[in-house]
Amino acid sequence: MSTTLHDVARLAGVSIKTVSNVINSYPHIRPATRERVERAIAELGYTPNLTARNLRSGRTGAITLALPYLGLSYFAELAAAVIAEAEKLSLVVLVEQTGGDRDRELDLLKSPRLKLTDGLIFSPLGMSQDDIDALTVSYPLVLLGERIFNAPVDHITMRNIDAARAATDYLLGLGRRRIAVVGAHEGEVFGSAGLRLRGYREALERAGIAYDPNLVSYATLWHRSNGARSMRELLDRGIPFDAVFGLNDTLALGAMRALQEAGRRVPDDILVMGFDNLDEAGYSIPSLTTVDPGQPWIARTAVQTLHRRITGHSSLPPVAAQFAEFEIVARESAPAG
Amino acid sequence: MSTTLHDVARLAGVSIKTVSNVINSYPHIRPATRERVERAIAELGYTPNLTARNLRSGRTGAITLALPYLGLSYFAELAAAVIAEAEKLSLVVLVEQTGGDRDRELDLLKSPRLKLTDGLIFSPLGMSQDDIDALTVSYPLVLLGERIFNAPVDHITMRNIDAARAATDYLLGLGRRRIAVVGAHEGEVFGSAGLRLRGYREALERAGIAYDPNLVSYATLWHRSNGARSMRELLDRGIPFDAVFGLNDTLALGAMRALQEAGRRVPDDILVMGFDNLDEAGYSIPSLTTVDPGQPWIARTAVQTLHRRITGHSSLPPVAAQFAEFEIVARESAPAG
DNA sequence: GTGAAAGCGCTAACAT
DNA sequence: ATGTTAGCGCTTTCAC
């Protein structure tokens, strides 16, 4: 087994309390004693057993981040940002993948595994507003995303409706009138798909353009291949359109790919707009005009909020959701004016 | 505080041992007792304190995965695969980002934080062969990548040299004679860059083609933007080339982007080959011909090997590295003959 | 300034 | 079949 406080204490000829004091940099220790202890620690290569410390303190210094799948770039970039922010607060991050499956999400929320960490940043995809009660849990929880609103937990999210409306306005401002949508979810009201489609419709309405359901195509998982498939479906309908709004970047990139296969040129024939501002959006061919939804802010705010809950610095009841600022990033797939 | 075994035992009118037996599904319990305990557990909403259990058992059921950065797609896909494999063995995964920085990698290896988990899957980027001694640690460790070889630890990696040679052969087989390289590392012998460049040179040599250093451009971080910059540099040299080997997919995609900006057509003027077979390589425009290095196998083998070490099922000394099988995936950027 | 001892919640001998 | 008890390694009163 590894060395313990007792081993160090014995070697240094002091009690374990003194060793503990040295480790936790308790101020009032005689320099000679301190040095003796430090030499013993070095000699034995002692490192404290964090599990024991955690049991004693009731805290682990770790948080859980639960998201659908790291293979989806949006979530990979989210995880990267969360881990980086957590490190600034000396927290480590345990990452769970739910696959966006409702049952696995519900299971996770009551999993004993969560006892291994101090709190949870939770980005559900399969759960919906009906599952709101499952978010009433006994541990610190920060909710991400737009599947569930007004739950009694801290909620950090983005301005989906406003941002999608701004994205649509942008295309309208470039003179487009028949804007196709890729990646909608049948009958969804909340959720990224539902909210972004609503923003799209609001923009059309304000511009006095009728909503044409034939311009909307569906895709369950927001994956490149589904963006391509969804676009092929649109093309097969034979209905003319002059722009495409991919409800996220991956869909938009897949759609561009399908457009190109079909001989349509971007941006000459069709403008394409995405949503997420993934790193990759700046380097596709053509580069992708998109919405930057403020992910770094979301990651930072989520980690800080959770940390305040864990440390008890905030016992305020969670209020309404906090929203990140967004911004349109104009690139080649739909160049500005 | 949360409820404990004692609370459950008191409510059920039994001893804590009995409750413990029920929880750990010890076979010999009277059905009536079992039911009483289960009702008490449900009533109190009891969940076991894993930290305490871990302290007792000496295991946590968690492993650490340390990698450079989740924003790099290759590592995001690796993490996704590792987490999925770990889940099959009921392990959870704590993800650490080192930024590919040598000092942070060395620090991590001796960080007390690792005591929070049972073992480490370590993918270094900044460390080199000189740091081999740092891999002699007191906990189960599985090494990934190609920065360090012949360390006294289990090592799972890919056939960099063979695969790069095969990739180059593929381009040679298509009649190309001036194959540029994007993303080399100055003077590197080991490491993905060094090994892949070596494979490239071996292929040239076997084909009787002289190695031209002017065809090789450098990039430290294997990031899209650096692939583009690296390619612009090559173009600026004004030296003719008829194919490009990006030492990974991200570089190749960035390079394709720069080629396009410069008015070069892929594959009409220039063939492009990548390395990694990222999901995204199938959906770029044009889609990217690349090397599939067998990442799923690597993830699976790494997790299983670590698990065997942790559970003590393998006390065999670690042997030479284990190599994944690779395969060339022909797509549009360099279509097969 | 330092030591002794209790106890965090659990598991596993050992006892009955 | 179930109860008792001793720790896992640490922190933290409370003495001295």
Side-chain angles (χ1 to χ4, degrees):
Chain A
M1 280 308 290
S2 61
T3 65
T4 75
L5 271 188
H6 286 95
D7 302 327
V8 177
R10 198 176 318 122
L11 182 61
V14 298
S15 82
I16 66 166
K17 172 60 164 86
T18 305
V19 181
S20 177
N21 280 342
V22 170
I23 289 169
N24 298 297
S25 42
Y26 178 74
H28 308 298
I29 310 171
R30 232 178 322 165
T33 315
R34 174 191 301 279
E35 205 204 329
R36 205 140 35 91
V37 170
E38 278 168 350
R39 223 178 16 244
I41 288 176
E43 187 169 331
L44 294 171
Y46 168 80
T47 60
N49 179 319
L50 289 193
T51 306
R53 184 177 288 180
N54 294 342
L55 175 58
R56 194 56 244 246
S57 68
R59 284 196 41 201
T60 68
I63 60 176
T64 300
L65 171 65
L67 42 73
Y69 179 54
L70 280 178
L72 300 173
S73 301
Y74 176 80
F75 293 109
E77 294 189 4
L78 175 66
V82 165
I83 293 171
E85 288 297 333
E87 187 169 11
K88 293 182 191 164
L89 300 173
S90 301
L91 295 170
V92 290
V93 181
L94 202 149
V95 182
E96 297 256 15
Q97 297 186 127
T98 61
D101 180 73
R102 174 172 174 272
D103 291 337
R104 286 177 66 191
E105 289 170 352
L106 289 169
D107 283 351
L108 179 84
L109 284 170
K110 36 171 87 128
S111 163
R113 287 197 222 171
L114 290 174
K115 278 269 166 66
L116 220 51
T117 62
D118 298 330
L120 172 65
I121 296 177
F122 185 49
S123 181
L125 200 57
M127 286 171 60
S128 64
Q129 196 68 35
D130 297 341
D131 299 308
I132 189 168
D133 290 340
L135 294 177
T136 302
V137 295
S138 59
Y139 48 83
L141 169 63
V142 168
L143 177 67
L144 259 36
E146 38 278 328
R147 297 292 305 169
I148 303 175
F149 285 88
N150 301 313
V153 296
D154 295 302
H155 183 192
I156 321 290
T157 184
M158 55 180 70
R159 300 196 179 281
N160 282 282
I161 300 176
D162 296 347
R165 195 173 51 227
T168 310
D169 279 342
Y170 177 91
L171 295 172
L172 291 170
L174 294 174
R176 303 305 159 124
R177 287 298 173 269
R178 296 195 55 77
I179 304 170
V181 172
V182 165
H185 288 172
E186 197 87 49
E188 187 180 285
V189 177
F190 293 112
S192 320
L195 296 174
R196 291 175 195 174
L197 188 63
R198 174 163 159 206
Y200 162 83
R201 294 187 65 163
E202 285 184 8
L204 292 188
E205 193 172 345
R206 292 182 189 191
I209 298 174
Y211 169 71
D212 182 354
N214 285 315
L215 285 174
V216 176
S217 83
Y218 297 84
T220 311
L221 240 189
W222 281 1
H223 198 273
R224 272 181 202 84
S225 55
N226 286 336
R229 196 168 43 64
S230 191
M231 175 50 69
R232 281 186 214 107
E233 222 175 278
L234 267 172
L235 290 165
D236 287 347
R237 290 185 199 164
I239 299 172
F241 55 89
D242 50 21
V244 176
F245 181 17
L247 294 188
N248 84 349
D249 281 356
T250 342
L251 288 167
L253 291 167
M256 280 215 294
R257 161 89 192 142
L259 281 169
Q260 193 248 205
E261 279 172 352
R264 309 294 187 97
R265 290 169 309 164
V266 178
D268 310 71
D269 303 333
I270 312 273
L271 299 184
V272 176
M273 163 77 68
F275 197 116
D276 278 350
N277 196 22
L278 298 182
D279 183 53
E280 139 182 31
Y283 297 91
S284 59
I285 304 174
S287 60
L288 185 65
T289 296
T290 188
V291 176
D292 183 331
Q295 189 182 66
W297 181 89
I298 291 175
R300 183 169 0 107
T301 307
V303 172
Q304 290 175 351
T305 303
L306 185 62
H307 184 246
R308 270 196 297 274
R309 291 284 172 201
I310 290 169
T311 54
H313 280 302
S314 164
S315 53
L316 299 170
V319 289
Q322 293 185 264
F323 293 91
E325 294 306 317
F326 68 90
E327 176 177 27
I328 304 286
V329 181
R331 296 206 188 90
E332 294 166 352
S333 72
Chain B
M1 282 305 290
S2 61
T3 64
T4 76
L5 272 189
H6 286 95
D7 302 327
V8 176
R10 200 176 315 124
L11 181 61
V14 297
S15 82
I16 67 165
K17 175 60 164 88
T18 305
V19 181
S20 177
N21 280 342
V22 171
I23 289 168
N24 299 296
S25 45
Y26 179 73
H28 308 298
I29 309 172
R30 231 177 327 166
T33 314
R34 174 191 302 279
E35 206 205 329
R36 204 140 36 90
V37 170
E38 278 168 349
R39 220 177 18 243
I41 288 176
E43 187 169 331
L44 294 171
Y46 169 80
T47 61
N49 179 320
L50 289 193
T51 306
R53 183 178 288 178
N54 294 342
L55 175 59
R56 191 58 243 243
S57 68
R59 284 196 42 201
T60 68
I63 61 175
T64 300
L65 170 65
L67 42 72
Y69 179 54
L70 281 178
L72 300 172
S73 302
Y74 176 80
F75 293 107
E77 294 188 5
L78 175 66
V82 164
I83 293 171
E85 288 297 332
E87 186 168 12
K88 292 182 191 166
L89 300 174
S90 302
L91 295 170
V92 289
V93 181
L94 202 150
V95 181
E96 297 255 14
Q97 297 185 128
T98 62
D101 179 74
R102 175 173 174 271
D103 290 338
R104 286 176 65 191
E105 289 170 352
L106 290 169
D107 283 349
L108 179 84
L109 283 170
K110 35 171 91 125
S111 162
R113 287 195 215 171
L114 290 174
K115 280 268 167 66
L116 220 51
T117 62
D118 298 330
L120 172 65
I121 296 178
F122 185 49
S123 181
L125 201 57
M127 286 171 61
S128 66
Q129 196 67 35
D130 297 341
D131 299 308
I132 189 168
D133 290 341
L135 294 177
T136 302
V137 294
S138 59
Y139 47 84
L141 169 64
V142 169
L143 177 66
L144 260 37
E146 38 278 328
R147 297 291 305 170
I148 303 176
F149 286 88
N150 301 313
V153 295
D154 295 302
H155 184 190
I156 322 291
T157 184
M158 55 180 71
R159 300 196 179 281
N160 283 282
I161 299 175
D162 296 348
R165 195 172 53 230
T168 310
D169 279 342
Y170 177 92
L171 295 172
L172 292 169
L174 293 174
R176 303 304 159 124
R177 286 301 173 266
R178 298 194 54 77
I179 304 171
V181 172
V182 165
H185 288 173
E186 197 88 47
E188 187 179 284
V189 176
F190 292 112
S192 320
L195 296 174
R196 292 176 194 173
L197 188 65
R198 175 163 159 207
Y200 161 83
R201 295 187 63 163
E202 285 185 8
L204 292 187
E205 192 171 345
R206 291 181 189 193
I209 297 175
Y211 168 73
D212 181 354
N214 286 314
L215 284 174
V216 177
S217 83
Y218 297 85
T220 312
L221 240 189
W222 282 2
H223 198 273
R224 272 180 202 86
S225 54
N226 286 337
R229 194 166 46 62
S230 191
M231 175 50 68
R232 279 185 217 111
E233 221 175 279
L234 267 171
L235 291 165
D236 287 347
R237 290 184 199 164
I239 299 171
F241 55 89
D242 50 21
V244 175
F245 180 18
L247 294 186
N248 85 349
D249 281 356
T250 342
L251 288 167
L253 291 167
M256 280 217 293
R257 160 91 193 141
L259 282 169
Q260 192 253 196
E261 279 172 352
R264 310 292 188 97
R265 289 169 311 163
V266 178
D268 311 70
D269 305 332
I270 311 272
L271 299 184
V272 176
M273 163 76 71
F275 197 116
D276 277 349
N277 196 23
L278 299 182
D279 182 55
E280 137 182 33
Y283 297 91
S284 59
I285 303 175
S287 61
L288 185 65
T289 295
T290 187
V291 177
D292 183 332
Q295 190 183 64
W297 181 90
I298 291 176
R300 185 168 1 105
T301 308
V303 171
Q304 289 174 353
T305 303
L306 185 62
H307 185 244
R308 270 197 297 273
R309 291 284 173 201
I310 290 169
T311 54
H313 280 301
S314 165
S315 53
L316 299 170
V319 290
Q322 294 185 263
F323 293 91
E325 294 306 318
F326 69 89
E327 175 177 28
I328 304 286
V329 181
R331 297 207 187 91
E332 295 167 352
S333 71

